[in-house]
Amino acid sequence: MADNKIKVNIKFLSGEVLPLEIDSQISHSDFISSVFASLVSLDNIRFLSFSQLSISRFVENEFVSIEPLSKLLLPQPDETFYIYIDPSTY
């Protein structure tokens, strides 16, 4: 059986890049959950709610938000996704 894992990059506004290994057939929702789980495991991010996280990808010269959908994300190897963490809590 072929290995369906690929590496993508998660880039913070600060410029810091976090590598992340994911399934190449991951859904939008599962991708968001994987990114969230990776972030809350970091020492410098202590408090983070799911609603504070926004993820986007750069497609055809524009940023497109990753929404929590069941459709496949179809990430490319070494693709960079961009995250924004809203510091406000509601």
Side-chain angles (χ1 to χ4, degrees):
M1 184 161 86
D3 185 10
N4 291 330
K5 298 286 185 179
I6 63 170
K7 183 184 83 69
V8 297
N9 299 298
I10 308 302
K11 188 170 185 176
F12 294 83
L13 287 178
S14 66
E16 182 182 355
V17 176
L18 172 71
L20 181 64
E21 188 175 79
I22 59 171
D23 190 299
S24 62
Q25 298 297 305
I26 197 166
S27 71
H28 284 227
S29 293
D30 289 343
F31 178 70
I32 294 169
S33 295
S34 293
V35 171
F36 182 80
S38 294
L39 293 175
V40 297
S41 70
L42 298 175
D43 288 337
N44 60 342
I45 299 179
R46 296 189 179 177
F47 303 102
L48 177 66
S49 71
F50 208 75
S51 63
Q52 290 175 285
L53 180 63
S54 296
I55 307 172
S56 61
R57 69 192 321 181
F58 199 65
V59 178
E60 298 179 7
N61 295 323
E62 68 178 294
F63 287 98
V64 178
S65 292
I66 306 298
E67 300 297 332
L69 305 170
S70 60
K71 75 178 192 175
L72 292 179
L73 182 65
L74 302 173
Q76 300 299 307
D78 295 316
E79 182 175 358
T80 299
F81 292 86
Y82 302 86
I83 63 167
Y84 172 70
I85 300 172
D86 186 348
S88 304
T89 54
Y90 303 107

